[in-house]
Amino acid sequence: MAIDVDPSRLLPELPLPSGPPALAVDGLMLFFGGLRVLNGVSFEAREGSVTSIIGPNGAGKTSLFNTVSGFYKPAAGAIRFRGASIDALRAPARAQLGLARTFQNISLFHGMTVLDNIKLGRHAHMKSGVLDALWYRGRARREEMELRREIEEKIIDFLEIDHIRKAPVSALSYGLRKRVELARALAMRPKVLLLDEPVAGMNREETEDMARFILDVKEEWGVTVLMVEHDMGMVMDISDHVVVLNFGQVIASGKPREVAANPEVIAAYLGSGNVEDLRARVRQGAQAKRGAV
Amino acid sequence: MRIGTAKTSYLADEALFDTAVQRRWMVALLAALVLFPLFAGPYWLYLGCLVAINVASATGLNILTGFTGLVSLGQAAFMGVGAYTVAWLEINLGTPFLLNLIIGGCSASLIGMVVGAPSLRVKGLYLAIATIAASVILHFLFANWTAVTGGASGLTMPPATFFGTPLDQPGKLYWVIMPITVLMVLGAANLFRTRVGRAFIAVRDRDISAEVLGIPLLRTKLTSFALSSFYAGVAGGMWAYFFRVITPESFPLVMSIFFLAAIIVGGMGTILGGILGATFMTMVPEALKLIVGGLSPWLPDAVALLSPVRTIVFGALIVGFLIFEPRGLAEAWRRLRRFFHLWPFKT
């Protein structure tokens, strides 16, 4: 049994740009107490590519993201961002460098409008201080107006969310919230964009919209995309490179079609496909339990 | 009814008052504030000044508690720092009152940052307790640092002077206090259409994702503390010029609770909430006093009988607000506006 991929749907294989990878992770180790969450994870995301990280639940994908964006401090390993080490930097500093991310369970600010949420993305790149802000005229206003224009013309227009710009986030549907979160990440002027399950819980149409946006972000903005996703159809369709994680280890990586054909991946993802195997395992478990009693 | 709010620039879209009707009302309000001292008697002027001082301080607390989500019960103590600084400067150096107010604000702001330092680790009720501890320490200083604060007997200061004219009446001080308060409130309103204010709200709503956006938590929280206590310090300074006697009992803990109640009743996290809440909390006891006084021709014992009832009614009003309008007077006002936006059609 193999993951069903229609070869005609795959993207033509473009040669990937050379130069240092946009993001390189090397031998990352992370422990939660005695639990080994990441066990020597290494991979590279080439500049201007879409790299997907897949794997069963609990494989450590989100922990990997949290480590890369600076929430978790790894026990060992190195993270290089466009050739430079960012191990010593905390989350806000990494954001300022151009490492933007979205969250699995959307983390927008519910009390604010869509526009304010997107504007927040630019926070680290703006300069006006408290006194500018209190007075507003002058620097603060100039900066805010520049930001507003850019957000309107580049982001809101691009993501087709102009009808909801003044709506409070709490009033939006799930799919729109995901889109607003992407908008906020884009406002951060990202060089590398980490998307944690961008289409989870979306219907077919919303998923296709999101896939289109991700491809456009890659092509038009030249942003390197690193994405965790469970929707295999989308992963296989839009990724240049796929990394498979299981129990905190990289078990395979390569082009989508190579990975899809890798027997180890299929076993990790779908089981071995042999019903007898499963029965035997269940029986064994039951016997072990009986033995223990 | 409101028909279309067509705008042709982002500037117009982000203006504080974005419709012509709103701007007209604001002009009317400003005119009313200017004309008020020409018609009001000394008692009303006294109340007007008191409301303005409380609005300034409540707006400051609203920045910290309403917008940044850091509960503080130190507002009165910060006002005390401002008041003592201003009084000390006025008595010992006689510097111009505007300068004194600014220095008072800055000194309160410094103390505020020190008090706010634990806020990175402690939140909610724990932070409230930490600020209570800070205000107890400050009160101890007010009462015992006799060389500066005059100890238990406090400080008695001369009035502020404006080009030789002593501002010793509420009618004169009104022209100082009201404009400063208006400027402070406008400043706060401006704050929340810029990156600084947005960062405060982001920290309140979800401090973890704020960090991913490049918002440094500690710095943002300390900025909020500094700004909020600057407002308290200036309000305390105005309070000092207004009453001219400052004792350690002038800024009790109950006063901090008063401000917290004011922003809850008014509406946390809205500029209007600070204004409405402080006005409500200051005026309702006075209004109840007037009502009781007005009843005395018919009920000769009204004052004696109803004075305790007054306190109960005041308390009941606050509880009523918490139950029926938990998002405060500002929300009620917003609903009223929406009604008129759609009127005469039904909402």
Side-chain angles (χ1 to χ4, degrees), chain A residues 9-29:
Chain A
R9 276 169 63 204
L10 291 176
L11 293 173
E13 281 171 18
L14 297 168
L16 289 171
S18 51
L23 188 77
V25 170
D26 190 26
L28 222 49
M29 303 284 277

Side-chain angles (χ1 to χ4, degrees), chain A residues 90 95 119 128 148 166, chain B residues 13-14 190 195 198 211-212:
Chain A
R90 292 172 45 78
K119 282 177 177 174
S128 39
R148 177 77 193 272
K166 293 269 176 85
Chain B
D13 195 42
E14 299 209 352
N190 278 336
R195 74 189 275 269
R198 280 196 300 269
E211 242 186 329
V212 181

Side-chain angles (χ1 to χ4, degrees), chain B residues 64-65 235:
Chain B
L64 183 66
T65 303

Side-chain angles (χ1 to χ4, degrees), chain A residues 136, chain B residues 11-19 22 185-187 189-190 193:
Chain A
Y136 191 69
Chain B
L11 194 62
D13 195 42
E14 299 209 352
L16 268 187
F17 309 108
D18 60 348
T19 62
Q22 227 176 348
V185 169
L186 277 180
N190 278 336
R193 36 184 194 148

Side-chain angles (χ1 to χ4, degrees), chain B residues 253-306:
Chain B
L253 187 62
V254 155
M255 197 170 174
S256 294
I257 297 171
F258 169 91
F259 286 116
L260 200 59
I263 60 168
I264 292 173
V265 166
M268 291 215 279
T270 55
I271 295 296
L272 189 63
I275 302 170
L276 292 180
T279 311
F280 178 88
M281 293 286 288
T282 319
M283 295 304 289
V284 168
E286 300 297 328
L288 290 174
K289 221 185 275 176
L290 278 183
I291 294 170
V292 171
L295 286 176
S296 47
W298 295 279
L299 277 169
D301 299 334
V303 177
L305 275 176
L306 295 178

Side-chain angles (χ1 to χ4, degrees), chain A:
Chain A
M1 185 180 163
I3 299 171
D4 216 14
V5 183
D6 175 3
S8 64
R9 276 169 63 204
L10 291 176
L11 293 173
E13 281 171 18
L14 297 168
L16 289 171
S18 51
L23 188 77
V25 170
D26 190 26
L28 222 49
M29 303 284 277
L30 179 73
F31 299 92
F32 288 163
L35 185 67
R36 194 174 289 189
V37 184
L38 296 179
N39 187 6
V41 172
S42 306
F43 69 90
E44 286 183 353
R46 287 263 150 212
E47 189 86 49
S49 70
V50 172
T51 303
S52 292
I53 296 172
I54 62 171
N57 287 324
K61 303 180 299 289
T62 297
S63 298
L64 175 63
F65 264 27
N66 284 341
T67 313
V68 170
S69 55
F71 279 130
Y72 298 158
K73 208 171 152 37
I79 304 167
R80 271 173 300 125
F81 178 77
R82 311 181 103 201
S85 168
I86 54 169
D87 295 319
L89 301 181
R90 292 172 45 78
R94 294 187 191 191
Q96 197 162 11
L97 276 182
L99 193 65
R101 76 170 284 187
T102 67
F103 290 82
Q104 185 176 352
N105 41 4
I106 310 173
S107 72
L108 292 167
F109 304 103
H110 290 270
M112 303 167 96
T113 62
V114 167
L115 202 52
D116 277 343
N117 265 285
I118 301 174
K119 282 177 177 174
L120 262 168
R122 186 56 61 78
H123 181 87
H125 294 283
M126 296 170 78
K127 295 205 169 52
S128 39
V130 177
L131 291 181
D132 298 315
L134 289 172
W135 182 240
Y136 191 69
R137 283 158 198 287
R139 177 146 142 181
R141 182 165 71 182
R142 202 169 50 239
E143 217 175 38
E144 291 297 324
M145 288 306 120
E146 267 169 34
L147 172 62
R148 177 77 193 272
R149 174 177 298 274
E150 193 182 320
I151 286 178
E152 289 283 350
E153 289 172 4
K154 283 200 182 151
I155 298 172
I156 289 188
D157 195 40
F158 166 59
L159 292 176
E160 298 158 20
I161 46 177
D162 40 337
H163 56 297
I164 51 162
R165 59 161 82 81
K166 293 269 176 85
V169 165
S170 49
L172 300 181
S173 71
Y174 182 80
L176 278 176
R177 286 186 198 190
K178 282 266 180 195
R179 215 185 281 184
V180 173
E181 211 192 5
L182 176 62
R184 189 179 66 186
L186 287 178
M188 295 172 77
R189 290 194 178 138
K191 302 201 172 68
V192 174
L193 187 58
L194 309 180
L195 301 174
D196 200 345
E197 303 205 7
V199 300
M202 285 191 180
N203 64 29
R204 192 78 221 149
E205 198 187 335
E206 288 169 327
T207 302
E208 278 168 9
D209 278 343
M210 188 55 88
R212 177 162 56 87
F213 292 137
I214 292 172
L215 284 177
D216 282 351
V217 164
K218 178 184 103 164
E219 305 280 334
E220 287 174 27
W221 296 51
V223 172
T224 307
V225 178
L226 187 65
M227 152 175 107
V228 162
E229 185 48 67
H230 281 298
D231 185 322
M232 275 315 125
M234 164 149 141
V235 167
M236 295 300 158
D237 278 356
I238 71 170
S239 310
D240 300 301
H241 191 78
V242 177
V243 177
V244 189
L245 222 55
N246 197 19
F247 297 114
Q249 277 177 309
V250 175
I251 58 170
S253 76
K255 303 227 161 55
R257 86 179 67 178
E258 294 163 12
V259 168
N262 184 320
E264 214 179 325
V265 174
I266 297 165
Y269 230 86
L270 305 170
S272 64
N274 186 343
V275 184
E276 275 312 308
D277 265 11
L278 186 66
R279 277 200 195 130
R281 245 195 353 251
V282 171
R283 217 173 292 137
Q284 239 169 17
Q287 262 163 9
K289 209 179 266 174
R290 226 173 288 141
V293 174

